[in-house]
Amino acid sequence: MTTNDHQRVRRGMDTDSIHKDLQDHLNFTLAKDQEGASQLDFYQALAYTIRDRLIDRWLQTRKTHKKNKVKRVYYLSLEFLMGRVLHSNVQNLNIEKEVRSAVEEHGLDYETLRNEEVDMGLGNGGLGRLAACFIDSMATLNIPAYGYGIRYNYGIFRQEIEKGRQVEQPDDWLKWGNIWEVPRNNLQFQVNFGGRVEMGKDDKGNLCPRWVDAHPVIGIPYDVPIVGYGGKTVNTLRLWTAHAHEDFDFEDFNKGDYINAVEHKVTAENLTKVLYPNDLHYLGKELRLRQQYLFVSCSLQDIIARFKDECDDWNEFPDRVAIQLNDTHPSLAVPELMRILVDEEGLGWDHAWSLSLRTLAYTNHTLMPEALEKWSVELIEKLLPRHLQIIYEINQRFIKDIAAKFPGDMHRIGRMSIIEEGEHRQVRMAHLAIVGSHSTNGVAEIHTELLKERVVPDFAAMYPERFNAKTNGITQRRWLLDCNPDLAELITETIGDGWITDLKQVAKLKPLADDRAFCDRFAQVKFAAKKRLSDFMNAEWDWETDPTWIFDVQIKRLHEYKRQLMNAIHIVILYNRLRKNPDMDFHPQLFLFGAKAAPGYFMAKLIIKLINNIGDMINRDESVRHKLRVHFLPNYRVTLAEKLIPATEVSEQISTAGTEASGTGNMKFMLNGALTIGTMDGANVEMAQEVGRENMFIFGLDAAEAKALSENYDPYAYYQQDEEVREALDLIFSDHFSILERGIFEPIRHALLEGGDRYLLLADLPAYRAAQEEVQRIYKDREEWTRRAVLNTACSGKFSSDRTISEYAEKIWGTKPPRK
Ligand SMILES: *Cc1c(COP(=O)(O)O)cnc(C)c1O
C-alpha cells in the first residue's frame, strides 16, 4: 500500500475508497464474504464506512473547541427522536453520489440498504423531534454543543393495529447493534439515591450537610457523532446508560446472598431500560423520577468535569457553559447544580446561585395542566433527601423576594411557592425551573403570550425580563433535502443551493408562483411523490390508492386536543352526503391518519379504533369508495413522516385554539408545498403571517373566543342546531361502524355531549366543514392550487431550526457561532 492509499483508507470521500472500505468492513468487522452477507450486513458495513468518515472531524472539532476555550451549549432532553441517521450523515458529508456508486458497484441498491436501518426512536413526538432538529442545526451553525439524553434500550413502542385497535410491541432497536454509537466505558459517574442527610462540620467548624447511606448507581455514556451540513463541525450526542455500582450490594454478597445481590444489579440497570410513552402527560412514577435524576446528575458531573479541566475560576462558569432544559423533565438540574457547587465544590450559596441562574435556561412546551410535572414531596424526600432541603432553601429565599416585591400578598405567595401545600405536598417543577433559570421561553409567539397570561401570570409579573418567545423550527436538511429529493432538486436548479443552510432564500421562489412553467414542474414533483407513496402503501398494505385523489393527511400523536376526532366526524359527514348523492360534485379525497396513543390513554385509543372502523366501512362501500377513502397507517414515526410529507396536499393542523404550543409537523408540510387546513393556534398563526391567511384554510374559533366560549358552553345546543353534525354523530352512536361491538363508542358520545366537549369539536365543526368545502373548490382550479402550494414553500423560510437556534444562541446562550 502506498502512503496515498493509507490516507484514503477510512477517510477517502471518493467512490473508490468508499467501495474498498465497504468491502473491508464486511470482511474484517463483520466477518462476512460477499456471498454470505445479508442486506443487513451490507447496511452495517456501509454504516461503519460512513462512521469512519466522521471520526477525524469529530476529534478535530473537540480539539478546536478545547483550544479556543469556547462556550459550549448543553441541550438537556429526556428525548431525542432521531429517526434513521445513515442518509442524513451521507447528505451532511456531501457524498451521496459517491456512496450510491460505491454501493452499486457491489451490486446493491442504496434504498434497500437504507431500509435496513431501524429508527432511533428515543422520543414521543414533537418535543423529542425538536431536540433532534436542534442538534442538526447547532452542528450546521458550528455552535459547540452537546446533546445529553438517555440511551433507552426500548424507545417508543412499535404500534400494530389489530381489529382496528392499537397494540403496543417493544421497540428492540438495539437488537442488531447500533453502529452510530461509541461506548465510553471508562467514563463513569456515580449517582446516589435514597439514604439521609447528616449535619457534619467541615475543617473550619462550619455546619455542612453530608448525604450518607445512599445507594449508588453508575452512569456510562454512549456517544453519537452529530455532523453538521458541510461536515465542518461534528458535535456529540451523549446518551447515558445505568449500571450497578460494584459495591451496590456489597452487603448481600458478603452475606452470601448472591441472588439478591444480582437482583439489585438488575434493578439498577432497569433505570434506563424504557422510554415512558406518554407525550405531554405527567404520570408521577418513581422510575421516571429516577431516570430524570440519573440523567441530570451524570450530565452535570460531566459538564463540570469538562469545565474544571479547562478553567479554574468558577466565575467563568456562565461564560463557558449554557444549559438548556427541554421542558421540566431535566429541572432537577436546578437543585443538583446547587448541590454540586455548594456541597461538593464548597462555594457559598449566593455565589453558587448566581452562577447557576446565569447558566440555566428553561423551555416550556405546553399549556395543558395535565402535562405540568409535580413530584410529591414524600417521593423526593425518599429518593433525594438532600435535594429536598435545597429546594426548600431556594423556596424560602424566593418567598422572601416575592414578599419584598409584593408586600402583604399572601395569596400570591401561595400561588407562586415551589411547594404546593395540601394533604399531599408537591414540588411544582415549572416553578422551580422558572425561579432557577435566567430565561424561560415559549415555543411560539402565541404560546408565550398564553403562558404569561394563563399559566404563570405571577411569574411574568415578577420576572418580566426572563420570559421570551423562540418559535420552533425544523431542519430543512432532513425535511426537504433528504426526504423530498425531487423538490430539493427543482428548488436548487431554480435558485441555487443556498437554501440548504439559509432557508430564507426560498423566498426567491415567490415570483415563480405566477410562472406557468415552474408551477407545472412543481405540480409534477408533487404528483410523483403521491405516486411513490401510493405504490408504497399499495405494496405494503394492499390498498388501492389512486394518486389523482386529494391527499389529506393528519399525522401526529393522538391527543384529544389535536382533534383527530373532529376530522373523523367530518369524514362521516362526507360519507352521509355521498351515500345520499353518489354523483355529487366532489373531487375524490383520501384521508390518511398516523398516530400513536399513550398506552394508558383510553380515549385516544378509542379514537384510533373509531377511525379504523370508519375506514373499514367506507373503503368497502361501493356507493362511496369511488370518491372517499380513509386509512390509518400503523406505527407512525420519523421514517413514515418522511414518506408521507412530500406527498401531502392538505395538512391537518386543527387543534383547539390555545392548546397546541407550536407544532412542528405544520412546518414540515408547509415546506413541502402542502396547504394547511388549520386553526389560529401555535405556529399556524406565524405561518399565516408569512404566507398570508388567504393561502391557507384557516377556520374556527381563535384562542380568545375558545376560552370565552368554554366558560359557558353547551355542546348539546350545537348538536341540535346542525343537521349534518347531528346525523354523523347519530350514525356513529347507532353502531353503524361497530355492528359487531355494540356500544363501544359510547364513551365518545359521553365526552362530547355530556362531558362538556372540552376541546369544542362541535362548536368548530361547521367552520371546519366549510373550510373543507373551500379545499374542494380551490382544488378544482389546479393552477390556483399550485400557485398557493408554491407560495407555501416560498414563505416557509422562517421555520428553519437554523433560525430558531440562531435566536437561542444570540438571545439566551450568548454563543455567537464562530464564523465559518
Ligand atoms: C414532527 C413530528 C411530530 C410532531 O408533529 P406535530 O404535528 O407538530 O404534533 C411528531 N412525531 C414525529 C415522528 C414527527 O416527525
Side-chain angles (χ1 to χ4, degrees), residues 81 124-126 129 479 555-557 562 636-638 641 653 660 663-666 668:
L81 193 53
N124 277 284
R129 184 54 232 175
W479 296 111
I555 45 174
K556 47 186 73 254
R557 281 300 285 249
K562 291 176 183 279
Y636 176 55
R637 63 197 187 284
V638 170
Q653 307 300 337
E660 186 74 274
T664 49
N666 46 3
K668 300 167 195 166

Side-chain angles (χ1 to χ4, degrees), residues 300-436:
L300 286 177
Q301 290 184 60
D302 193 32
I303 290 165
I304 287 169
R306 192 171 300 111
F307 169 75
K308 285 169 61 170
D309 181 48
E310 291 178 13
C311 181
D312 49 23
D313 180 0
W314 278 110
N315 288 312
E316 281 192 36
F317 191 65
D319 305 320
R320 296 294 193 83
V321 175
I323 299 174
Q324 191 69 37
L325 309 177
N326 196 20
D327 212 315
T328 58
H329 313 153
S331 59
L332 283 170
V334 175
E336 175 67 357
L337 184 53
M338 286 300 288
R339 186 191 67 79
I340 296 174
L341 294 180
V342 173
D343 294 0
E344 315 250 335
E345 301 294 338
L347 273 63
W349 181 279
D350 292 329
H351 188 199
W353 184 252
S354 152
L355 299 179
S356 178
L357 196 64
R358 286 189 287 151
T359 302
L360 297 173
Y362 156 59
T363 304
N364 173 278
H365 281 272
T366 174
L367 305 164
M368 310 276 281
E370 61 266 40
L372 293 178
E373 291 190 297
K374 293 175 184 182
W375 291 104
S376 90
V377 165
E378 196 186 358
L379 180 61
I380 296 198
E381 188 163 33
K382 182 181 95 171
L383 290 185
L384 304 167
R386 178 60 187 141
H387 295 77
L388 185 63
Q389 291 181 339
I390 292 170
I391 291 168
Y392 283 154
E393 181 69 31
I394 293 169
N395 200 35
Q396 261 187 21
R397 289 163 183 256
F398 170 53
I399 285 171
K400 267 193 202 147
D401 291 348
I402 306 172
K405 186 141 185 179
F406 305 98
D409 193 344
M410 290 309 288
H411 287 294
R412 185 182 296 264
I413 290 174
R415 291 195 306 267
M416 294 183 78
S417 173
I418 297 170
I419 307 295
E420 184 175 283
E421 300 295 338
E423 202 182 332
H424 296 287
R425 299 170 70 235
Q426 299 191 300
V427 181
R428 297 157 161 163
M429 303 310 276
H431 294 200
L432 179 63
I434 297 170
V435 172

Side-chain angles (χ1 to χ4, degrees), residues 558-591:
L558 214 141
H559 270 287
E560 288 166 279
Y561 85 80
K562 291 176 183 279
R563 299 202 292 193
Q564 283 97 346
L565 178 57
M566 186 168 78
N567 186 345
I569 296 168
H570 172 257
I571 290 169
V572 176
I573 291 176
L574 294 179
Y575 170 64
N576 281 335
R577 283 186 188 175
L578 278 167
R579 285 198 301 166
K580 280 180 205 155
N581 182 6
D583 296 325
M584 78 173 187
D585 184 18
F586 182 77
H587 191 103
Q589 196 163 349
L590 170 68
F591 290 90

